[in-house]
Each structure stands twice: as C-alpha cells, then as structure tokens.
Amino acid sequence: MKERETFASRLGFVLISAGCAIGLGNVWRFPYIVGQYGGAAFVLIYLVFLVIMGLPIMAMEFAVGRASRKSVLASFQELEPKGSKWHVYGWFGMAGNYLLMMFYTTIAGWLLLYFLKMAKGDFVGMTSGQVTDAYQNLVGNDPVIQLVFMAIVVLLGMAICSRGLQNGVEKVNKIMMLCLLALLVVLAIRAVTLEGAAEGLKFYLVPNFDNLMYDAEGNFRLGEAIYAAMGQAFFTLSLGIGAMAIFGSYIGKERRLFGETINVGVLDTCVAFVSGLIIFPSAFAFDISPDAGPNLIFVTLPNVFNEMPGGRLWGALFFVFLFFAALSTVTAVFENILACWMDRWNISRSKAVLANLILIFLLSLPCLLGNNLWSGVKILGMGIMDFEDFLVSNNLLPLGSMVYLLFCCLPARYGWGYQNFLAEANQGQGVRFPAPLRWYYTILLPLIVLIIFVMGYIEKFF
C-alpha cells in the first residue's frame, strides 16, 4: 500500500485548514450580521457558540481523519464496528464537496474577473447605478465570460492539487494565506484611517444591547439574534462534509488535536472580524449602506473604492484578497475530492485530477447558467445556485456534523467509541480535549445542531 502523504509543517496544516474554513461568509456575512445584531454584543455571543459548538465538532472530524488516515469516503469503514452502516454517510459527505464546488467555482470566477476589472479601472467614473447595471449585466447576460473565468478557477485549483500535498496544496496555500493575512492588515489600516471612518468603527465595535434585543420596530428578537450567532459560528467552519477530516488524515501524532482546532478557529474568526474593520469604516466614510449578500461585494464595495483616493489600487488589492480566500477553499475541497477517489478506487493522483477536472467543470455549468440562460428554472422556489447552497448549508453540514458527533461519542459497540476518540485526540503535546463534558457532546450539542437544522428550514420556507 502506498504510504499516506503528510504535511511538511504544522503551520501548513493550520493555514490550509483555516483556508478551507475562510470563505466569502467571513467577508460579507459576518460583518453584516454583526452590524445587524448590535456589533460587539453579538460578537460575544458568537464567540461563545464558536467555542462550545464549532471547536468540539472540528476536533472530532480531525480525529476521525487522523485515526483512519482516509478521506470521508473511506474513513468510517476503517473505524466503525463490524456490521454497522456509518460508512454510508461517506457518499453524502463526498456529494457535499461536489455541491459546494458546483457554485463556489462560479463565484470565485466572478472575484477574479472583478480584480481584473478593478485593476484596469473599468469602474472609474461610474455612478452607483452604473456599477449595479455592470454587475447585473455580467451575471444575467454574459454567460460566456463567466464560463471562461469559472474554467480558469477549476484549472488553477486542479493544477495546484496535481502537484501533490506538500509541493502543491500546502506550498501554494501557505503563500496565499500569508498574502491574504497581509492584505487584510493593509486594507484594514487604510479603512480605519479614512476621514469619517469613526462612525463605522462605532457601529461595528461598540456594544449595542438594545439593537441585540430589539429590531427597528421595537420587537423583541433576542432569540433570533442567538440563533443567528449560533448559525454563523456553525457554518463558518465548514464542518460535516469531511473537508476538515482530510487534513486530519495528513497530520502526524505529535500534537493534540484540540489545540490545533483552537488555532484554526482563532485564525478563521480573526479574518472575519478584521473584514468588518475594512467594510464598515469604508462604507460609513462615504455614506454608502453596507448591504448584505452579493450586493456588498459586487456593488457596494466598488462604489466605495470609486470614492476613495487611490481606490483603483485598494479595490484591486481587496479583490485579490477575496479571490485568495475563495481559491484556498476551492483547493482544499478539491484535495478532499481527489483523496476520496484515490482512497476508494486506488487510482493515481493524476488520473483523479483529470477525471475531476472534467467532472467539476460540467457540474458547475447548471449554477453558472442558472443566473442567465436557465434563470427560469426554480427548485422549491429557489434558483439553481440558491438550491445548491441550501443542500449544503441547510442539510449536509448540520446532518454531517451530527454524524461525526454521534460516531465519536456513542459507546464503541454503536460507533467509534468515546474512549477511542479521546485516545486519538489527546495523542501528542498541547491542549487536551475537555473529556468530562461527554454528557454535553452526546445530548446537548446534538440538540443544538438539530435546532440549527430545523430553524434553517423554518427560515427558508416559513
């Protein structure tokens, strides 16, 4: 049997795992939702849920990967009791990785295109309405250019993965993540030193407990705010589809897994938080509303950069930062998909790359066309991109996390076994997993995940 690849360094593992978790949700959803629910008051609730919910599940996913030395498609088979069916979930986990890439490659292509547009000065002199029209024309009327840039993203991601774990995925992601963090700091310093930025900082950083508990009409909404914090803490780490387990399978036994999990969680949260230091001061400095959703990235921020001195440069740097955030996720998930193929069918990396290069390109087409030529196609009232996102975010992430929770915490005759999990998680040096809280992981935490799953449906359809 071919020896399992490993990371060249601990830093590589932490940066790649964080890169997988860091995505567009960190950049536009986190700052917006923090502003919507009271700034720093909301951040405190979010951090509590990140610690009590996100970190334990991530540690379990890392442990399953490291103990099995396999991808999501084969890891349960290595560890499950004989005759059990935990391995069936591997196919759903693999499907989740494909579904995520079916819309993420298109968005990453938009970001690369916007970087080029910003660098060329295409938005210079445009009014707010013209920037909006340019975005709507790109998404709704120009499938060819979107196809070209989506294909570039797929080719680039697979080219990186084709070079192997250390020479490709680790080396390139290290450079991208370090550049991403450097750009983040530079952009944040520029934003907070803008004239008029103080109001944005106040909006973002000063706790507003009234805004946390009551909406604009005075209706009590503390429960809604708590659910929003819970959901953001859960979804930001991309748990449940084996995207973290694969990196666990590539690391050695020198470090305890809970300490590494904390490092990844801290890095992910820092990127999200500092993104707000870019967005809110910039938007308030030029009296532009920080809208939610795609509008923030593709309409609001180009208008901000149009108003800013040297905005063409700062805008280009910002979209490079966003593209690196997206590409780090793409390469991490591609690596998981390739590992599934290599583990399950025992084929070479080059053959897995070639097959998935074609497959992911074809699977990405419905989302790309769903914004223009197939815009009339609706599934459960959703467009194709929204439906693919719904399948991943509202279904596979929470249900997959439940699988990892129960697999690790149930007695060994039913799952992997809590003692087996602890033995794996606590190998090496570093922070021990908080073992006495088994009752919480077995009863209360699955209930919290179930609430997220049910509330996701209520929010979506009712």
Side-chain angles (χ1 to χ4, degrees):
M1 181 182 289
K2 186 181 177 183
E3 188 177 341
R4 188 74 171 171
E5 292 181 276
T6 57
F7 286 113
S9 67
R10 181 184 172 201
L11 177 65
F13 163 70
V14 172
L15 288 177
I16 292 171
S17 299
C20 183
I22 292 166
L24 301 184
N26 295 67
V27 178
W28 64 260
R29 191 175 189 274
F30 179 81
Y32 168 78
I33 209 167
V34 168
Q36 184 181 3
Y37 289 105
F42 178 86
V43 173
L44 295 175
I45 300 175
Y46 162 79
L47 289 174
V48 168
F49 278 111
L50 187 76
V51 171
I52 68 172
M53 183 177 61
L55 298 188
I57 298 174
M58 184 187 285
M60 291 175 191
E61 198 168 316
F62 279 147
V64 169
R66 190 169 75 171
S68 66
R69 315 299 284 178
K70 299 288 184 184
S71 65
V72 66
L73 197 55
S75 56
F76 291 101
Q77 286 175 311
E78 293 288 317
L79 306 175
E80 67 186 357
K82 191 173 182 180
S84 63
K85 301 295 182 185
W86 291 97
H87 62 273
V88 172
Y89 177 71
W91 294 102
F92 290 94
M94 186 180 181
N97 285 272
Y98 276 112
L99 279 165
L100 184 60
M101 290 299 97
M102 283 161 66
F103 63 88
Y104 220 89
T105 49
T106 293
I107 298 171
W110 292 350
L111 294 171
L112 182 58
L113 177 59
Y114 257 63
F115 156 66
L116 294 176
K117 283 177 170 290
M118 193 66 71
K120 284 168 55 189
D122 286 0
F123 297 112
V124 174
M126 280 191 179
T127 64
S128 177
Q130 288 171 327
V131 172
T132 303
D133 290 343
Y135 168 66
Q136 291 175 342
N137 184 61
L138 165 69
V139 174
N141 301 320
D142 204 345
V144 176
I145 192 70
Q146 292 183 73
L147 183 70
V148 170
F149 279 87
M150 180 270 282
I152 291 172
V153 169
V154 176
L155 281 167
L156 191 56
M158 283 298 173
I160 292 168
C161 291
S162 70
R163 296 181 58 81
L165 181 69
Q166 288 189 16
N167 293 325
V169 180
E170 182 175 1
K171 187 177 288 185
V172 174
N173 270 277
K174 262 188 189 176
I175 295 168
M176 276 200 303
M177 286 299 295
L178 292 172
C179 289
L180 184 152
L181 296 173
L183 285 169
L184 194 66
V185 171
V186 169
L187 288 163
I189 291 170
R190 178 68 189 107
V192 300
T193 54
L194 288 168
E195 187 178 344
E199 281 302 307
L201 287 172
K202 182 180 176 182
F203 175 74
Y204 186 46
L205 298 179
V206 176
N208 184 334
F209 291 98
D210 281 343
N211 200 20
L212 182 69
M213 293 188 288
Y214 300 97
D215 63 19
E217 285 75 42
N219 299 312
F220 187 74
R221 63 164 186 186
L222 183 59
E224 178 189 330
I226 289 172
Y227 167 67
M230 194 188 295
Q232 180 65 23
F234 180 77
F235 294 120
T236 188
L237 296 175
S238 303
L239 303 173
I241 55 173
M244 291 299 167
I246 187 60
F247 301 124
S249 79
Y250 291 142
I251 58 173
K253 309 276 188 177
E254 299 82 18
R255 305 293 304 183
R256 290 180 181 137
L257 292 174
F258 198 61
E260 304 302 85
T261 299
I262 291 170
N263 292 335
V264 173
V266 167
L267 193 53
D268 177 77
T269 303
C270 285
V271 170
F273 187 75
V274 178
S275 295
L277 295 179
I278 298 170
I279 288 165
F280 286 113
S282 299
F284 274 74
F286 298 104
D287 198 27
I288 294 174
S289 174
D291 299 318
N295 279 350
L296 177 63
I297 294 173
F298 297 110
V299 175
T300 303
L301 289 173
N303 281 315
V304 168
F305 294 124
N306 270 349
E307 298 288 333
M308 189 184 292
R312 182 171 162 185
L313 169 65
W314 297 112
L317 289 177
F318 182 78
F319 280 101
V320 168
F321 153 66
L322 280 179
F323 179 66
F324 282 170
L327 189 61
S328 66
T329 301
V330 167
T331 53
V333 176
F334 278 6
E335 177 61 25
N336 197 16
I337 289 171
L338 296 175
C340 285
W341 279 61
M342 291 186 287
D343 287 346
R344 181 66 178 81
W345 291 291
N346 197 29
I347 62 174
S348 67
R349 178 177 286 269
S350 58
K351 288 179 180 176
V353 165
L354 183 60
N356 281 282
L357 181 67
I358 298 166
L359 186 58
I360 291 173
F361 175 79
L362 294 175
L363 289 173
S364 299
L365 290 177
C367 168
L368 189 150
L369 297 174
N371 294 305
N372 36 77
L373 299 179
W374 293 358
S375 58
V377 177
K378 302 293 178 187
I379 309 168
L380 300 179
M382 292 173 266
I384 294 173
M385 179 185 285
D386 288 341
F387 180 68
E388 290 171 352
D389 184 27
F390 167 74
L391 288 177
V392 177
S393 299
N394 293 74
N395 293 275
L396 291 170
L397 294 185
L399 294 178
S401 295
M402 186 84 79
V403 169
Y404 278 102
L405 262 174
L406 297 177
F407 185 65
C408 290
C409 293
L410 289 175
R413 64 181 178 275
Y414 300 118
W416 185 20
Y418 191 60
Q419 295 307 318
N420 291 327
F421 157 67
L422 284 179
E424 181 61 45
N426 288 330
Q427 283 198 53
Q429 297 179 320
V431 182
R432 283 187 173 274
F433 189 84
L437 297 177
R438 182 179 181 179
W439 61 271
Y440 167 71
Y441 310 130
T442 311
I443 300 169
L444 195 54
L445 190 48
L447 186 61
I448 292 173
V449 175
L450 185 62
I451 289 170
I452 291 173
F453 174 70
V454 173
M455 288 295 291
Y457 267 77
I458 292 172
E459 196 174 51
K460 198 76 176 177
F461 296 110
F462 302 104

